[in-house]
Amino acid sequence: GTYSLMELLGRHEVSLVLQGHDHYREVLDYDDVRYVVVGAISEKSETPEYLKIDVSSEGLTLDFKSACK
């Protein structure tokens, strides 16, 4: 199940897993892997957002942006 997948990702040096469809933001770290769920971008959400990811030689930078006008 879930833990088997997480162990597999950790073993293969995965840095980031992007997940969706939960409609709320969550950032978890487990076994050197960061798991990110981005909140809803729908205008029906109280706090619509999207995620901008910058990749550089120093690593990844996650920047959650408001999708409000």
Side-chain angles (χ1 to χ4, degrees):
T2 301
Y3 288 109
S4 297
L5 179 60
M6 293 171 80
E7 293 295 331
L8 180 68
L9 295 170
R11 191 174 336 124
H12 290 280
E13 300 180 17
V14 172
S15 299
L16 179 66
V17 176
L18 299 173
Q19 308 169 86
H21 198 72
D22 283 335
H23 301 290
Y24 60 89
R25 180 193 306 180
E26 186 173 32
V27 180
L28 303 169
D29 292 301
Y30 176 79
D31 199 20
D32 294 325
V33 180
R34 177 156 287 178
Y35 296 85
V36 177
V37 178
V38 180
I41 196 168
S42 169
E43 62 188 33
K44 295 177 184 178
S45 173
E46 289 182 25
T47 56
E49 68 179 3
Y50 63 94
L51 176 62
K52 178 182 174 193
I53 302 172
D54 290 312
V55 181
S56 71
S57 59
E58 297 174 10
L60 301 172
T61 303
L62 306 178
D63 187 10
F64 291 92
K65 301 282 193 178
S66 172
C68 294
K69 294 180 180 179

